Amino acid sequence: MFRALFLMLILLAGLIAGPYLAGKQGYVLIQTESYNYELSLVSFVVLFVVCMAVVYGIEWLVTRFCRLSNNTYNWFNRRKRVKAQKQTLEGLMRMNEGDYSKAEKLIGKNAKHSDEPILNFIKAAEAAQQRGDEFAANKYLIDATEIAGSDNLLVELARTRILLQQNKLPAARSSVDSLLVLAPKNAEVLRLAVDIYKKSKAFVALDGIIEQVEGLYSDAEYTALLREMEDGLLDEKMNEEGADGLLAWWEAQSRKRRNDNYVRIGLIQRLIDCNDHESAYELTLETFKKVEDNKALSSALYSQITRLQPIDSTKLIKLLEKRAAHSPEDAACCINRALGYLQVRNGDFHKASDAFKKVLANKEQMKQYDATMAAYVFEQIGDLVKAHEIREESLKSAMAIKETEKTEEKLTAL
Protein backbone atom coordinates (compact mmCIF):
# COMPACT_ATOMS: atom_id res chain seq x y z
CA MET A 1 0.00 0.00 0.00
CA PHE A 2 2.79 2.43 0.88
CA ARG A 3 4.64 1.56 -2.33
CA ALA A 4 1.56 2.47 -4.39
CA LEU A 5 1.29 5.75 -2.52
CA PHE A 6 4.98 6.48 -3.16
CA LEU A 7 4.56 5.85 -6.92
CA MET A 8 1.51 8.09 -7.04
CA LEU A 9 3.46 10.87 -5.33
CA ILE A 10 6.29 10.49 -7.84
CA LEU A 11 3.76 10.59 -10.69
CA LEU A 12 2.12 13.69 -9.35
CA ALA A 13 5.45 15.37 -8.78
CA GLY A 14 6.20 14.74 -12.43
CA LEU A 15 2.88 16.25 -13.50
CA ILE A 16 3.63 19.36 -11.44
CA ALA A 17 7.21 19.80 -12.48
CA GLY A 18 6.54 19.17 -16.16
CA PRO A 19 4.43 22.26 -16.90
CA TYR A 20 6.77 24.45 -14.89
CA LEU A 21 9.70 23.31 -16.88
CA ALA A 22 7.75 23.83 -20.09
CA GLY A 23 6.31 27.19 -18.98
CA LYS A 24 2.72 25.84 -19.36
CA GLN A 25 1.28 25.39 -15.89
CA GLY A 26 -2.40 24.40 -16.21
CA TYR A 27 -5.33 24.38 -13.78
CA VAL A 28 -7.98 21.89 -12.53
CA LEU A 29 -11.72 22.56 -13.04
CA ILE A 30 -14.25 20.71 -10.89
CA GLN A 31 -17.75 21.46 -12.16
CA THR A 32 -21.06 20.45 -10.51
CA GLU A 33 -24.65 21.40 -11.25
CA SER A 34 -24.53 24.51 -9.04
CA TYR A 35 -20.85 25.29 -8.54
CA ASN A 36 -17.55 25.44 -10.39
CA TYR A 37 -14.27 24.92 -8.56
CA GLU A 38 -11.00 26.05 -10.12
CA LEU A 39 -7.74 24.88 -8.56
CA SER A 40 -4.22 25.22 -9.62
CA LEU A 41 -2.46 21.99 -10.26
CA VAL A 42 -0.27 22.43 -7.21
CA SER A 43 -3.28 23.04 -4.95
CA PHE A 44 -5.01 19.96 -6.35
CA VAL A 45 -1.97 17.82 -5.68
CA VAL A 46 -1.73 19.12 -2.11
CA LEU A 47 -5.45 18.47 -1.58
CA PHE A 48 -5.10 14.98 -3.00
CA VAL A 49 -2.17 14.15 -0.73
CA VAL A 50 -4.08 15.44 2.33
CA CYS A 51 -7.14 13.35 1.42
CA MET A 52 -4.98 10.25 1.00
CA ALA A 53 -3.38 10.94 4.37
CA VAL A 54 -6.82 11.21 5.97
CA VAL A 55 -7.94 7.92 4.35
CA TYR A 56 -4.82 6.08 5.51
CA GLY A 57 -5.17 7.58 8.96
CA ILE A 58 -8.76 6.31 9.25
CA GLU A 59 -7.64 2.87 8.03
CA TRP A 60 -4.91 2.74 10.67
CA LEU A 61 -7.35 3.66 13.44
CA VAL A 62 -9.86 0.99 12.32
CA THR A 63 -7.11 -1.66 12.10
CA ARG A 64 -5.83 -0.80 15.58
CA PHE A 65 -9.35 -1.00 17.00
CA CYS A 66 -10.06 -4.36 15.35
CA ARG A 67 -6.73 -5.74 16.51
CA LEU A 68 -7.44 -4.60 20.04
CA SER A 69 -10.91 -6.22 19.94
CA ASN A 70 -9.44 -9.45 18.57
CA ASN A 71 -6.77 -9.56 21.28
CA THR A 72 -9.41 -8.93 23.92
CA TYR A 73 -11.58 -11.74 22.51
CA ASN A 74 -8.61 -14.12 22.40
CA TRP A 75 -7.73 -13.28 25.99
CA PHE A 76 -11.21 -14.10 27.23
CA ASN A 77 -11.34 -17.23 25.06
CA ARG A 78 -7.95 -18.41 26.32
CA ARG A 79 -9.05 -17.77 29.91
CA LYS A 80 -12.17 -19.91 29.37
CA ARG A 81 -10.11 -22.74 27.86
CA VAL A 82 -7.68 -22.77 30.79
CA LYS A 83 -10.57 -22.72 33.24
CA ALA A 84 -12.33 -25.53 31.36
CA GLN A 85 -9.14 -27.61 31.36
CA LYS A 86 -8.71 -27.22 35.12
CA GLN A 87 -12.35 -28.10 35.75
CA THR A 88 -12.11 -31.14 33.48
CA LEU A 89 -9.09 -32.51 35.34
CA GLU A 90 -10.74 -31.88 38.70
CA GLY A 91 -13.96 -33.48 37.45
CA LEU A 92 -12.13 -36.63 36.32
CA MET A 93 -10.52 -36.89 39.76
CA ARG A 94 -13.92 -36.55 41.42
CA MET A 95 -15.30 -39.19 39.09
CA ASN A 96 -12.57 -41.63 40.12
CA GLU A 97 -13.41 -40.87 43.74
CA GLY A 98 -17.07 -41.73 43.12
CA ASP A 99 -18.41 -38.16 43.54
CA TYR A 100 -20.43 -38.28 40.31
CA SER A 101 -22.64 -35.28 41.05
CA LYS A 102 -19.66 -32.92 41.47
CA ALA A 103 -17.84 -34.56 38.56
CA GLU A 104 -20.79 -33.96 36.24
CA LYS A 105 -20.95 -30.25 37.15
CA LEU A 106 -17.21 -29.71 36.71
CA ILE A 107 -16.88 -31.62 33.43
CA GLY A 108 -20.08 -30.42 31.81
CA LYS A 109 -20.08 -26.76 32.93
CA ASN A 110 -17.53 -25.42 30.43
CA ALA A 111 -17.46 -28.41 28.08
CA LYS A 112 -17.80 -26.27 24.94
CA HIS A 113 -14.64 -24.34 25.83
CA SER A 114 -12.47 -27.42 26.53
CA ASP A 115 -9.87 -28.80 24.13
CA GLU A 116 -12.04 -31.88 23.43
CA PRO A 117 -15.68 -30.87 24.03
CA ILE A 118 -17.00 -34.21 22.73
CA LEU A 119 -15.06 -36.15 25.36
CA ASN A 120 -16.27 -33.75 28.05
CA PHE A 121 -19.91 -34.27 27.13
CA ILE A 122 -19.41 -38.05 27.04
CA LYS A 123 -17.78 -38.08 30.48
CA ALA A 124 -20.49 -35.80 31.84
CA ALA A 125 -23.12 -38.20 30.44
CA GLU A 126 -21.39 -41.15 32.12
CA ALA A 127 -21.24 -39.29 35.44
CA ALA A 128 -24.94 -38.38 35.18
CA GLN A 129 -25.82 -41.99 34.42
CA GLN A 130 -23.78 -43.20 37.40
CA ARG A 131 -25.85 -41.05 39.72
CA GLY A 132 -29.06 -42.27 38.06
CA ASP A 133 -30.06 -39.15 36.12
CA GLU A 134 -31.01 -40.58 32.71
CA PHE A 135 -32.46 -37.28 31.45
CA ALA A 136 -29.18 -35.40 32.04
CA ALA A 137 -27.16 -38.25 30.52
CA ASN A 138 -29.26 -38.16 27.34
CA LYS A 139 -28.97 -34.36 27.16
CA TYR A 140 -25.16 -34.50 27.29
CA LEU A 141 -25.18 -37.15 24.56
CA ILE A 142 -27.36 -34.92 22.38
CA ASP A 143 -24.88 -32.05 22.89
CA ALA A 144 -22.01 -34.35 21.91
CA THR A 145 -23.91 -35.49 18.82
CA GLU A 146 -24.54 -31.89 17.72
CA ILE A 147 -20.78 -31.27 17.73
CA ALA A 148 -19.55 -34.61 16.39
CA GLY A 149 -22.37 -35.64 14.05
CA SER A 150 -24.52 -38.78 14.09
CA ASP A 151 -21.87 -41.13 12.69
CA ASN A 152 -19.18 -40.45 15.29
CA LEU A 153 -17.94 -43.79 16.66
CA LEU A 154 -16.93 -42.41 20.05
CA VAL A 155 -20.33 -40.84 20.72
CA GLU A 156 -22.24 -43.90 19.53
CA LEU A 157 -20.12 -46.17 21.74
CA ALA A 158 -20.89 -43.99 24.76
CA ARG A 159 -24.59 -43.92 23.87
CA THR A 160 -24.71 -47.71 23.58
CA ARG A 161 -22.89 -48.22 26.91
CA ILE A 162 -25.32 -45.88 28.66
CA LEU A 163 -28.32 -47.66 27.11
CA LEU A 164 -26.91 -50.93 28.46
CA GLN A 165 -26.47 -49.38 31.93
CA GLN A 166 -30.06 -48.12 31.75
CA ASN A 167 -31.09 -51.73 30.96
CA LYS A 168 -32.79 -50.61 27.74
CA LEU A 169 -31.80 -53.82 25.98
CA PRO A 170 -33.85 -53.46 22.75
CA ALA A 171 -32.44 -49.96 22.16
CA ALA A 172 -28.92 -51.09 23.10
CA ARG A 173 -29.23 -54.07 20.75
CA SER A 174 -30.31 -51.82 17.86
CA SER A 175 -27.48 -49.39 18.61
CA VAL A 176 -24.77 -52.04 18.76
CA ASP A 177 -26.03 -53.61 15.53
CA SER A 178 -25.49 -50.24 13.85
CA LEU A 179 -22.02 -49.98 15.41
CA LEU A 180 -21.09 -53.38 13.98
CA VAL A 181 -21.98 -52.06 10.53
CA LEU A 182 -20.03 -48.84 11.15
CA ALA A 183 -16.92 -50.50 12.65
CA PRO A 184 -17.17 -54.31 12.39
CA LYS A 185 -13.57 -54.96 13.51
CA ASN A 186 -13.32 -52.45 16.34
CA ALA A 187 -12.36 -54.23 19.59
CA GLU A 188 -14.51 -52.02 21.85
CA VAL A 189 -17.53 -52.45 19.60
CA LEU A 190 -17.09 -56.24 19.64
CA ARG A 191 -16.73 -56.36 23.44
CA LEU A 192 -19.83 -54.21 23.85
CA ALA A 193 -21.73 -56.41 21.41
CA VAL A 194 -20.81 -59.51 23.43
CA ASP A 195 -22.06 -57.90 26.67
CA ILE A 196 -25.35 -56.80 25.10
CA TYR A 197 -25.99 -60.08 23.28
CA LYS A 198 -25.30 -62.06 26.46
CA LYS A 199 -27.57 -59.90 28.59
CA SER A 200 -30.38 -59.93 26.02
CA LYS A 201 -29.85 -63.68 25.38
CA ALA A 202 -29.38 -63.01 21.66
CA PHE A 203 -27.28 -66.15 21.20
CA VAL A 204 -27.81 -66.41 17.44
CA ALA A 205 -26.40 -62.88 17.02
CA LEU A 206 -23.54 -63.76 19.38
CA ASP A 207 -22.80 -66.84 17.29
CA GLY A 208 -22.32 -64.54 14.29
CA ILE A 209 -19.41 -62.67 15.92
CA ILE A 210 -17.95 -65.37 18.19
CA GLU A 211 -14.96 -66.06 15.93
CA GLN A 212 -14.09 -62.35 15.67
CA VAL A 213 -13.82 -61.90 19.45
CA GLU A 214 -11.51 -64.85 20.08
CA GLY A 215 -8.39 -62.70 20.44
CA LEU A 216 -10.07 -60.22 22.80
CA TYR A 217 -10.31 -62.64 25.73
CA SER A 218 -8.04 -65.10 27.48
CA ASP A 219 -8.38 -68.76 26.54
CA ALA A 220 -10.38 -69.55 29.68
CA GLU A 221 -12.69 -66.55 29.22
CA TYR A 222 -13.26 -67.33 25.55
CA THR A 223 -14.02 -70.98 26.31
CA ALA A 224 -16.53 -69.97 29.00
CA LEU A 225 -18.15 -67.51 26.56
CA LEU A 226 -18.29 -70.17 23.84
CA ARG A 227 -19.91 -72.70 26.21
CA GLU A 228 -22.46 -70.16 27.43
CA MET A 229 -23.37 -69.30 23.83
CA GLU A 230 -23.67 -72.97 22.80
CA ASP A 231 -25.87 -73.77 25.80
CA GLY A 232 -27.99 -70.74 24.98
CA LEU A 233 -28.41 -71.81 21.36
CA LEU A 234 -29.45 -75.33 22.42
CA ASP A 235 -31.92 -74.03 25.02
CA GLU A 236 -33.39 -71.57 22.52
CA LYS A 237 -33.93 -74.28 19.91
CA MET A 238 -35.35 -76.69 22.49
CA ASN A 239 -37.80 -74.14 23.90
CA GLU A 240 -38.95 -72.88 20.50
CA GLU A 241 -38.94 -75.98 18.28
CA GLY A 242 -38.48 -79.03 20.50
CA ALA A 243 -36.60 -82.20 19.52
CA ASP A 244 -37.23 -81.78 15.78
CA GLY A 245 -35.82 -78.25 15.87
CA LEU A 246 -32.76 -79.44 17.80
CA LEU A 247 -32.03 -82.19 15.28
CA ALA A 248 -32.56 -79.87 12.30
CA TRP A 249 -30.27 -77.27 13.88
CA TRP A 250 -27.65 -79.93 14.55
CA GLU A 251 -27.65 -81.08 10.93
CA ALA A 252 -27.11 -77.50 9.75
CA GLN A 253 -24.03 -76.90 11.94
CA SER A 254 -20.45 -76.77 10.73
CA ARG A 255 -18.15 -79.77 10.97
CA LYS A 256 -16.17 -78.03 13.71
CA ARG A 257 -19.23 -77.68 15.94
CA ARG A 258 -20.51 -81.17 15.15
CA ASN A 259 -17.16 -82.53 16.34
CA ASP A 260 -17.34 -80.54 19.59
CA ASN A 261 -18.13 -83.15 22.26
CA TYR A 262 -19.35 -80.52 24.72
CA VAL A 263 -22.09 -79.53 22.25
CA ARG A 264 -22.84 -83.21 21.58
CA ILE A 265 -23.42 -83.90 25.28
CA GLY A 266 -25.50 -80.72 25.57
CA LEU A 267 -27.64 -81.92 22.66
CA ILE A 268 -28.05 -85.34 24.30
CA GLN A 269 -29.21 -83.69 27.52
CA ARG A 270 -31.83 -81.59 25.74
CA LEU A 271 -33.07 -84.46 23.58
CA ILE A 272 -33.69 -86.39 26.80
CA ASP A 273 -35.49 -83.33 28.21
CA CYS A 274 -37.68 -83.42 25.08
CA ASN A 275 -38.33 -87.16 25.70
CA ASP A 276 -36.60 -88.16 22.46
CA HIS A 277 -34.60 -90.98 24.04
CA GLU A 278 -33.92 -92.85 20.80
CA SER A 279 -32.19 -89.89 19.11
CA ALA A 280 -30.28 -89.23 22.34
CA TYR A 281 -29.25 -92.89 22.47
CA GLU A 282 -27.90 -92.89 18.91
CA LEU A 283 -25.90 -89.72 19.57
CA THR A 284 -24.61 -91.20 22.84
CA LEU A 285 -23.24 -94.23 20.98
CA GLU A 286 -21.47 -91.90 18.52
CA THR A 287 -19.99 -89.78 21.31
CA PHE A 288 -19.02 -92.56 23.74
CA LYS A 289 -15.58 -93.37 22.34
CA LYS A 290 -14.78 -89.74 21.50
CA VAL A 291 -14.78 -88.59 25.14
CA GLU A 292 -12.84 -91.52 26.56
CA ASP A 293 -9.70 -89.44 27.21
CA ASN A 294 -11.51 -86.43 28.69
CA LYS A 295 -12.51 -87.02 32.32
CA ALA A 296 -14.85 -84.02 32.62
CA LEU A 297 -16.74 -84.78 29.40
CA SER A 298 -16.86 -88.49 30.22
CA SER A 299 -18.45 -87.77 33.61
CA ALA A 300 -20.97 -85.43 31.95
CA LEU A 301 -21.88 -88.12 29.41
CA TYR A 302 -22.26 -90.81 32.11
CA SER A 303 -24.61 -88.46 34.00
CA GLN A 304 -26.83 -88.22 30.92
CA ILE A 305 -26.71 -91.98 30.39
CA THR A 306 -28.33 -92.44 33.83
CA ARG A 307 -31.35 -90.54 32.41
CA LEU A 308 -31.58 -92.51 29.15
CA GLN A 309 -34.61 -94.73 28.57
CA PRO A 310 -34.14 -96.27 25.10
CA ILE A 311 -36.08 -99.29 23.90
CA ASP A 312 -32.91 -101.38 23.58
CA SER A 313 -29.73 -100.32 25.40
CA THR A 314 -27.80 -103.60 24.93
CA LYS A 315 -25.05 -102.06 22.81
CA LEU A 316 -24.40 -99.23 25.24
CA ILE A 317 -24.39 -101.63 28.21
CA LYS A 318 -21.68 -103.73 26.53
CA LEU A 319 -19.58 -100.60 25.91
CA LEU A 320 -19.96 -99.54 29.55
CA GLU A 321 -19.06 -103.00 30.87
CA LYS A 322 -15.97 -103.11 28.71
CA ARG A 323 -14.83 -99.65 29.82
CA ALA A 324 -15.57 -100.33 33.51
CA ALA A 325 -13.26 -103.33 33.45
CA HIS A 326 -10.29 -101.21 32.33
CA SER A 327 -10.96 -97.94 34.17
CA PRO A 328 -9.43 -96.62 37.42
CA GLU A 329 -11.56 -96.66 40.56
CA ASP A 330 -12.71 -93.02 40.46
CA ALA A 331 -13.84 -93.28 36.83
CA ALA A 332 -15.34 -96.76 37.36
CA CYS A 333 -17.79 -95.36 39.91
CA CYS A 334 -19.42 -93.08 37.30
CA ILE A 335 -19.47 -95.91 34.76
CA ASN A 336 -21.04 -98.39 37.19
CA ARG A 337 -23.68 -95.84 38.15
CA ALA A 338 -24.67 -95.39 34.49
CA LEU A 339 -24.52 -99.14 33.96
CA GLY A 340 -26.72 -99.79 37.00
CA TYR A 341 -29.43 -97.34 35.86
CA LEU A 342 -29.55 -98.85 32.36
CA GLN A 343 -29.79 -102.40 33.73
CA VAL A 344 -32.60 -101.39 36.08
CA ARG A 345 -34.56 -100.03 33.12
CA ASN A 346 -33.89 -103.29 31.28
CA GLY A 347 -35.21 -105.23 34.28
CA ASP A 348 -31.88 -106.98 34.91
CA PHE A 349 -31.79 -106.34 38.68
CA HIS A 350 -29.13 -108.91 39.56
CA LYS A 351 -26.55 -107.26 37.29
CA ALA A 352 -27.73 -103.87 38.47
CA SER A 353 -27.11 -104.91 42.10
CA ASP A 354 -23.49 -105.78 41.24
CA ALA A 355 -23.03 -102.35 39.66
CA PHE A 356 -24.59 -100.52 42.63
CA LYS A 357 -22.43 -102.46 45.11
CA LYS A 358 -19.39 -100.90 43.43
CA VAL A 359 -21.03 -97.48 43.53
CA LEU A 360 -21.86 -97.81 47.25
CA ALA A 361 -18.27 -98.85 47.97
CA ASN A 362 -17.09 -95.42 46.77
CA LYS A 363 -19.08 -93.18 49.14
CA GLU A 364 -17.17 -90.03 48.24
CA GLN A 365 -18.56 -90.08 44.69
CA MET A 366 -22.11 -91.10 45.51
CA LYS A 367 -24.87 -88.84 44.27
CA GLN A 368 -28.21 -87.86 45.73
CA TYR A 369 -30.43 -90.66 44.41
CA ASP A 370 -27.87 -93.48 44.28
CA ALA A 371 -28.83 -94.90 47.69
CA THR A 372 -32.55 -94.77 46.86
CA MET A 373 -32.04 -96.60 43.56
CA ALA A 374 -29.68 -99.14 45.17
CA ALA A 375 -32.24 -99.92 47.93
CA TYR A 376 -34.91 -100.40 45.26
CA VAL A 377 -32.65 -102.79 43.32
CA PHE A 378 -31.90 -104.93 46.40
CA GLU A 379 -35.59 -105.09 47.22
CA GLN A 380 -36.29 -106.40 43.71
CA ILE A 381 -33.78 -109.24 44.14
CA GLY A 382 -35.18 -110.10 47.58
CA ASP A 383 -32.28 -108.80 49.71
CA LEU A 384 -34.46 -106.79 52.11
CA VAL A 385 -31.80 -106.67 54.81
CA LYS A 386 -29.35 -104.94 52.49
CA ALA A 387 -32.03 -102.56 51.28
CA HIS A 388 -32.88 -101.65 54.88
CA GLU A 389 -29.21 -101.07 55.72
CA ILE A 390 -28.80 -98.78 52.73
CA ARG A 391 -31.84 -96.71 53.69
CA GLU A 392 -30.75 -96.39 57.31
CA GLU A 393 -27.25 -95.35 56.30
CA SER A 394 -28.65 -92.86 53.82
CA LEU A 395 -30.93 -91.40 56.51
CA LYS A 396 -28.04 -91.07 58.97
CA SER A 397 -25.91 -89.33 56.34
CA ALA A 398 -28.72 -86.91 55.57
CA MET A 399 -29.24 -86.09 59.26
CA ALA A 400 -25.49 -85.62 59.76
CA ILE A 401 -25.40 -83.20 56.87
CA LYS A 402 -28.32 -81.21 58.31
CA GLU A 403 -26.65 -81.06 61.72
CA THR A 404 -23.46 -79.80 60.10
CA GLU A 405 -25.37 -77.12 58.22
CA LYS A 406 -27.11 -75.95 61.41
CA THR A 407 -23.81 -75.75 63.24
CA GLU A 408 -22.27 -73.73 60.44
CA GLU A 409 -25.26 -71.36 60.46
CA LYS A 410 -24.88 -70.82 64.21
CA LEU A 411 -21.17 -70.15 63.87
CA THR A 412 -21.84 -67.71 61.05
CA ALA A 413 -24.46 -65.93 63.14
CA LEU A 414 -22.04 -65.65 66.06
Side-chain angles (χ1 to χ4, degrees), residues 250-318:
W250 179 248
E251 291 298 323
Q253 296 309 297
S254 64
R255 180 180 297 179
K256 180 180 179 181
R257 179 164 288 168
R258 287 172 61 84
N259 288 330
D260 188 338
N261 292 317
Y262 179 87
V263 184
R264 283 174 166 270
I265 295 170
L267 180 59
I268 291 168
Q269 175 189 339
R270 287 157 181 85
L271 286 171
I272 295 172
D273 292 340
C274 294
N275 209 30
D276 188 353
H277 291 272
E278 296 306 316
S279 298
Y281 179 72
E282 293 300 323
L283 191 58
T284 300
L285 291 176
E286 293 177 17
T287 311
F288 191 83
K289 292 184 179 179
K290 296 182 178 182
V291 298
E292 184 175 2
D293 298 329
N294 191 313
K295 184 178 178 181
L297 291 177
S298 296
S299 297
L301 182 61
Y302 299 146
S303 296
Q304 298 309 316
I305 290 175
T306 61
R307 303 173 61 217
L308 268 177
Q309 300 178 31
I311 296 173
D312 182 12
S313 58
T314 306
K315 191 173 181 180
L316 183 56
I317 288 174
K318 289 180 179 179

Side-chain angles (χ1 to χ4, degrees), residues 191-206:
R191 286 179 184 274
L192 192 57
V194 169
D195 292 340
I196 291 171
Y197 290 155
K198 280 173 59 180
K199 197 164 186 179
S200 60
K201 299 189 183 301
F203 296 109
V204 175
L206 181 57

Side-chain angles (χ1 to χ4, degrees), residues 206-220:
L206 181 57
D207 190 25
I209 63 169
I210 194 67
E211 293 184 358
Q212 296 174 254
V213 304
E214 184 173 1
L216 304 180
Y217 300 92
S218 66
D219 292 341

Side-chain angles (χ1 to χ4, degrees), residues 357-385:
K357 284 178 183 177
K358 295 174 183 177
V359 173
L360 292 171
N362 196 338
K363 298 186 182 299
E364 294 180 356
Q365 295 192 31
M366 283 182 62
K367 292 193 175 180
Q368 184 178 3
Y369 299 109
D370 287 349
T372 304
M373 181 60 78
Y376 170 74
V377 169
F378 284 110
E379 284 178 347
Q380 296 302 310
I381 64 175
D383 193 347
L384 300 179
V385 176

Side-chain angles (χ1 to χ4, degrees), residues 5 60-61 125 135 146 161 168 216 271 288 296 301 355 412-413:
L5 179 59
W60 180 82
L61 289 174
F135 179 79
E146 289 177 355
R161 285 196 194 95
K168 296 178 179 178
L216 304 180
L271 286 171
F288 191 83
L301 182 61
T412 303

